[in-house]
Amino acid sequence: MDLAYTEAEEEFRGRLREWLAGVLPGLPPKPSPDDWPARRAYDTTWQRMLYDAGYAGLHWPQDAGGRGATPTQHLIFLEETERAGAPYVGANFVGLLHAGPTVAAEGTAEQRARWLPPVLRGDEIWCQGFSEPDAGSDLAALRTRAVRDGDDYVVSGQKIWTSHAEVADWCELLVRTDPGAPKHRGISWLAMPMDAPGITVRPLRTLAGSTEFAEVFLDEVRVPVRNRVGAENDGWRVTMVTLSFERGTAFVGEVVACRRTLEALAAEARRTGRWDDPVLRRRLGRLNAEFRALWRLTQANVSESERTGGVPGVGGSVFKLRYSGVRQELYEAAAEVLGAEGAFDLDREWALDRLSSLSYTIAAGTSQIQRNIVAERILGLPKGR
């Protein structure tokens, strides 16, 4: 892996910096975290600005609406937008980081033409309908059922932890299409319109006070068969493609964000005098080394995904496993720097981020699941009994 930047890549960085410096000052203030329609409008406006400037789907293949940029250009884009404080993908992270790449990799030409351009323009928002009350880490135990009726599937069941369901237009939905098959083989991946009759959305409030997740109840919802991505009962394989994006590249921008937070944390420690504590300095130094290593692992994973047709490999599980722990350690260090009062002041962004970090060892596959993947698929160890 060549970690040096070419002259052309540095020119790309310079143009991007210039564009960001010109547009970011004109953005309106961020809306209230509780105002999801406003947050959707804010996030999709930014996405449209990226699209109009040629930066939307930068690393997506050109036949999927992207620019076909190199992995290095993609990483430069993530570095520069995060360092400049640009908005993140926000409400459409499922569409841009999970569903969109899955459709690009597995969808038909008609499906790619229908769903990818609106995602890149910010016209449509997606949510994720994978987990169920009794099928979280054991996702293949899902029971939401889809019965074929002519050109439609009739879907009934329940989903939970459905990200951004309140404002979504589409849902990447896992359903059981063959209840008699072994549990990994009777699943299909559907794109469900969220305005279809029979859908009930109930927001869930998290520890941090956010309602970014929801319960979704499905009562004989009709989903066209043409909305199935991949073959019937081949949804588990398609799901592994989705999860490889979720674990392998969807967290890339967050590594840069954590490095920026660490810098701010060190500055706060200097301001308050906590920097004089050698134990704290050593702790922050080790975190700096951890995040630098994670960034190098990110570069390797993104490069590998390009060599294998754009789908990340199992190295994403290595990244996800370590990143989840290091992110929690970062905010434990933040609590030490800020003290008890500052660490639990929910008006401060760091306090909310600390609460959010607690979920990372569960979200996108628990750390136990990631360890199994690493053990079996990378180290070649036998499956546990």
Side-chain angles (χ1 to χ4, degrees):
M1 182 174 62
D2 185 2
L3 301 181
Y5 294 111
T6 67
E7 182 177 347
E9 288 164 349
E10 291 294 357
E11 289 177 358
F12 171 78
R13 186 192 300 274
R15 291 193 301 272
L16 176 58
R17 281 184 178 176
E18 182 178 0
W19 181 77
L20 290 169
V23 300
L24 289 180
L27 289 180
K30 289 184 178 180
S32 166
D34 295 327
D35 189 345
W36 277 105
R39 288 181 64 176
R40 171 182 168 135
Y42 182 87
D43 295 337
T44 55
T45 295
W46 173 246
Q47 184 61 31
R48 183 66 197 218
M49 293 172 67
L50 291 173
Y51 180 84
D52 290 341
Y55 290 117
L58 188 70
H59 61 297
W60 286 21
Q62 291 182 342
D63 62 359
R67 284 180 52 177
T70 66
T72 302
Q73 287 177 318
H74 179 211
L75 293 173
I76 289 172
F77 171 81
L78 293 169
E79 283 184 315
E80 295 301 324
T81 51
E82 186 59 47
R83 286 173 178 168
Y88 191 50
V89 292
N92 203 16
F93 86 91
V94 174
L96 288 165
L97 305 181
H98 303 173
T102 301
V103 172
E106 297 289 335
T108 65
E110 292 77 11
Q111 289 171 338
R112 288 153 65 99
R114 168 59 188 88
W115 288 317
L116 298 183
V119 167
L120 292 178
R121 292 193 302 263
D123 293 342
E124 293 180 344
I125 299 291
W126 285 65
C127 63
Q128 185 180 73
F130 281 17
S131 296
E132 298 181 7
D134 295 316
S137 296
D138 185 12
L139 183 58
L142 66 91
R143 294 186 293 180
T144 294
R145 188 168 178 176
V147 178
R148 182 77 175 260
D149 181 23
D151 293 332
D152 292 334
Y153 289 108
V154 180
V155 182
S156 295
Q158 178 186 355
K159 295 294 178 177
I160 198 168
W161 309 122
T162 309
S163 305
H164 303 314
E166 289 179 270
V167 293
D169 303 292
W170 292 90
C171 177
E172 53 171 0
L173 184 73
L174 294 187
V175 295
R176 188 159 298 286
T177 41
D178 185 355
K183 65 180 186 179
H184 290 86
R185 298 180 183 176
I187 294 171
S188 296
W189 196 108
L190 304 180
M192 180 180 70
M194 289 297 290
D195 60 355
I199 299 176
T200 301
V201 176
R202 295 181 185 173
L204 295 168
R205 189 167 295 278
T206 68
L207 179 65
S210 172
T211 56
E212 64 197 72
F213 302 114
E215 294 178 290
V216 176
F217 298 88
L218 308 169
D219 183 11
E220 297 189 349
V221 180
R222 301 189 76 89
V223 179
V225 173
R226 65 176 180 273
N227 287 15
R228 187 189 66 231
V229 175
E232 186 170 280
N233 299 324
D234 192 34
W236 186 253
R237 184 191 61 80
V238 178
T239 300
M240 291 302 99
V241 173
T242 304
L243 294 180
S244 70
F245 286 113
E246 185 176 25
R247 297 163 183 170
T249 54
F251 289 113
V252 169
E254 296 192 31
V255 175
V256 183
C258 285
R259 294 176 69 180
R260 189 174 65 177
T261 296
L262 183 59
E263 292 174 1
L265 195 61
E268 179 75 1
R270 292 186 180 96
R271 187 187 68 80
T272 61
R274 294 285 289 125
W275 189 254
D276 295 335
D277 182 348
V279 176
L280 177 63
R281 287 203 309 273
R282 188 158 53 245
R283 185 176 189 180
L284 296 181
R286 185 183 62 78
L287 284 169
N288 182 52
E290 291 269 16
F291 282 115
R292 288 172 65 88
L294 281 170
W295 183 246
R296 294 309 187 202
L297 180 58
T298 293
Q299 290 176 309
N301 286 342
V302 171
S303 298
E304 180 189 10
S305 74
E306 293 302 315
R307 290 195 300 270
T308 57
V311 178
V314 292
S317 288
V318 178
F319 169 85
K320 169 61 172 57
L321 178 61
R322 189 60 196 134
Y323 172 72
S324 298
V326 175
R327 184 182 175 92
Q328 291 180 354
E329 292 171 20
L330 171 66
Y331 287 103
E332 289 173 1
E336 184 177 345
V337 171
L338 298 174
E341 183 177 348
F344 293 98
D345 181 359
L346 295 185
D347 290 331
R348 300 190 67 167
E349 187 174 354
W350 280 354
L352 294 174
D353 285 341
R354 186 188 184 206
L355 292 176
S356 174
S357 74
L358 300 176
S359 70
Y360 275 68
T361 49
I362 300 173
T366 67
S367 291
Q368 290 87 346
I369 293 293
Q370 307 307 329
R371 290 188 182 97
N372 282 344
I373 293 173
V374 171
E376 295 170 9
R377 302 185 193 176
I378 297 179
L379 301 179
L381 299 178
K383 292 186 177 183
R385 296 182 179 179

